Amino acid sequence: MNPSSSSRIPGTPFLHAPGPTRLPAQVVNAMGTQPLELGDPALDTLIARCEDGLRRVFGTRESDVFLYAANGHGAWEATVCNLVAPGGCVVVAGSGTFSEAWAAHAEGLGVRVQRTACEDGHAADPGAVEQLLRADTAREIAAVFVVHTDTGSGVTSDMQAFRDAIDAASHPALLVVDVVASLAAAPFDMDALRVDVAIGASQKALMVPPGLCFVAVNGKAMRVADNNKAPRVYWDWLRRKSELSYRKFCGTPPQSLLMGLDAALGLVFEEGLAQVIARHRLLAGAVQAAVEGWSERGDLAFHVRNPASRSVSVTTIAVRPGIDPEALRTLARERFQVGIAGGLGSLAGRIFRIGHLGDLNAPMVLGCLAGVEAAMSASGIAYGPGVAHAVRVLSAPIEEKDAKEAAR
């Protein structure tokens, strides 16, 4: 029998996009549960568990958590509508595709946006934000928007540096952080950083399908929202701050997604949040070691040149001119069953991205890297040893890994 004549692809396809990510069986099974009658107290208990679990992941004790049946862009809109009236002003720290998309989203809602420059492949600049805040003697800037990990560029910015920049400028602006791509993957402590609003979504390290987003809002931000007279209904935090599940969701709660989120949070806490973050760091280190090896032949390079700014969620690989990363993605997906991501916006046709977040372990990452190497071989792309470098990272003694981490 000719294998190419079969329509069945055996085994499990590897999903290594930076979202949506692989769904654990426990999440899939939970989402198949029959929804509850809306008056059932078990529904209130489910929602409360999700809210409490998200507080733990965000690193906040007192903040309100609001969940929406939407993707992360919905959380952007909710945040803008609650904090800033049309004509108001915010600063958006430039870090890549998603910081720019967030800025454009705010402008579409009638908000004035001051952007800091985005240098390709570099983290957002807290110094530039501080300069804008110092120049704002009229105190018109309501908030500073920062993307923790920009999924498009693969760059992670230093949130403590932005907290320090706002403090150094003695400015009352709120610190609003998008942690969609970093939540439950990278260290983030909302209360310790004095972040006023944190934004997350379900489809990345939280291992749930797209369709849920959430915001954690501290008391300072809630007071700003209370004083903001901009019209809003579905997104309104004040309306949603209720004990009634129907009010919490401005209608019927998305129960299947909530059941999946509840199961996913249970898996995170069963493993231990600190261990989950350490696992992401280890797997990211393996992928980045492979990319370092691949780059020895000159056809590939890191898009994010500073190792300290490379995210633990996704690694972005630049290709030399003349190489089509979309053709590579197609070959990896259709011949070797490895799904990787392409470039967005200005990076389209220049990069490909390997996601390494969510429900992954070392053998899965090695399989992904081997599949990408096979696709590169079939495409005629020159690359140095990659999988072998990743194996060395993953097989290093625990003491050596700990020493390297302590030295960072």
Side-chain angles (χ1 to χ4, degrees):
M1 177 180 175
N2 181 3
S4 64
S5 66
S6 174
S7 60
R8 177 181 180 269
I9 300 176
T12 302
F14 280 34
L15 179 58
H16 286 268
T21 61
R22 179 182 180 276
L23 303 181
Q26 295 92 328
V27 172
V28 174
N29 293 338
M31 291 185 63
T33 304
Q34 174 65 41
L36 300 165
E37 185 264 313
L38 295 181
D40 191 331
L43 178 56
D44 296 328
T45 301
L46 169 66
I47 294 169
R49 279 201 308 270
C50 289
E51 291 171 342
D52 290 342
L54 288 171
R55 284 189 189 92
R56 288 178 63 184
V57 175
F58 276 119
T60 184
R61 291 180 178 272
E62 303 299 332
S63 298
D64 289 298
V65 172
F66 302 102
L67 294 94
Y68 296 91
N71 58 24
H73 292 68
W76 284 352
E77 184 148 333
T79 300
V80 173
C81 289
N82 278 278
L83 296 181
V84 194
C89 182
V90 300
V91 168
V92 176
S95 61
T97 303
F98 284 90
S99 67
E100 175 53 31
W102 197 2
H105 203 119
E107 288 175 330
L109 293 167
V111 172
R112 292 181 292 123
V113 175
Q114 297 187 38
R115 295 165 169 82
T116 64
C118 176
E119 187 177 355
D120 222 12
H122 289 268
D125 183 359
V129 168
E130 183 179 339
Q131 289 179 0
L132 289 176
L133 294 177
R134 288 185 182 277
D136 180 32
T137 55
R139 296 299 190 253
E140 291 186 316
I141 296 171
V144 174
F145 291 178
V146 190
V147 178
H148 188 197
T149 292
D150 196 296
T151 322
S153 63
V155 67
T156 292
S157 298
D158 182 351
M159 292 303 99
Q160 184 62 59
F162 282 93
R163 176 73 269 168
D164 293 344
I166 295 172
D167 291 347
S170 299
H171 199 287
L174 300 171
L175 177 57
V176 180
V177 180
D178 175 324
V179 290
V180 169
S182 57
L183 190 65
F188 180 77
D189 190 322
M190 179 176 176
D191 287 352
L193 289 165
R194 289 185 289 122
V195 169
D196 298 297
V197 179
I199 294 169
S202 59
Q203 75 274 16
K204 296 186 183 287
L206 287 178
M207 309 172 289
V208 181
L212 271 183
C213 64
F214 16 86
V215 291
V217 185
N218 72 7
K220 180 181 176 182
M222 283 298 293
R223 289 189 292 274
V224 170
D226 193 22
N227 292 324
N228 177 19
K229 304 308 178 186
R232 57 202 186 269
V233 178
Y234 184 78
W235 307 113
D236 190 6
W237 296 337
L238 304 176
R239 293 174 188 268
R240 286 177 175 251
K241 190 170 181 178
S242 170
E243 295 303 314
L244 302 175
S245 62
Y246 191 84
R247 290 287 299 275
K248 284 176 180 285
F249 285 89
C250 197
T252 306
Q255 292 192 41
S256 296
L257 285 167
L258 292 171
M259 291 172 180
L261 177 61
D262 184 40
L265 289 168
L267 294 175
V268 169
F269 299 136
E270 180 182 355
E271 184 178 354
L273 184 56
Q275 287 74 22
V276 170
I277 289 171
R279 172 170 55 82
H280 279 82
R281 184 172 61 242
L282 174 63
L283 297 180
V287 172
Q288 289 160 15
V291 176
E292 186 172 358
W294 290 344
S295 66
E296 292 176 4
R297 297 288 300 278
D299 277 1
L300 306 171
F302 282 108
H303 175 66
V304 180
R305 299 303 177 94
N306 180 1
S309 297
R310 294 172 191 156
S311 84
V312 299
S313 300
V314 55
T315 296
T316 306
I317 301 107
V319 300
R320 67 163 174 77
I323 293 176
D324 181 2
E326 293 307 303
L328 175 67
R329 287 181 64 206
T330 299
L331 188 63
R333 180 178 60 251
E334 296 184 358
R335 182 172 173 184
F336 300 105
Q337 287 76 58
V338 176
I340 55 177
L344 301 173
S346 65
L347 296 180
R350 297 170 51 198
I351 65 159
F352 65 93
R353 296 176 292 152
I354 297 176
H356 33 78
L357 73 167
D359 189 43
L360 296 178
N361 59 27
M364 295 163 77
V365 166
L366 291 174
C368 165
L369 295 172
V372 173
E373 287 195 2
M376 291 193 297
S377 293
S379 301
I381 296 172
Y383 63 91
V387 172
H389 286 200
V391 167
R392 281 199 289 273
V393 168
L394 294 170
S395 60
I398 299 297
E399 296 81 2
E400 181 180 338
K401 295 173 188 172
D402 291 343
K404 289 180 178 179
E405 178 57 30
R408 289 181 64 175

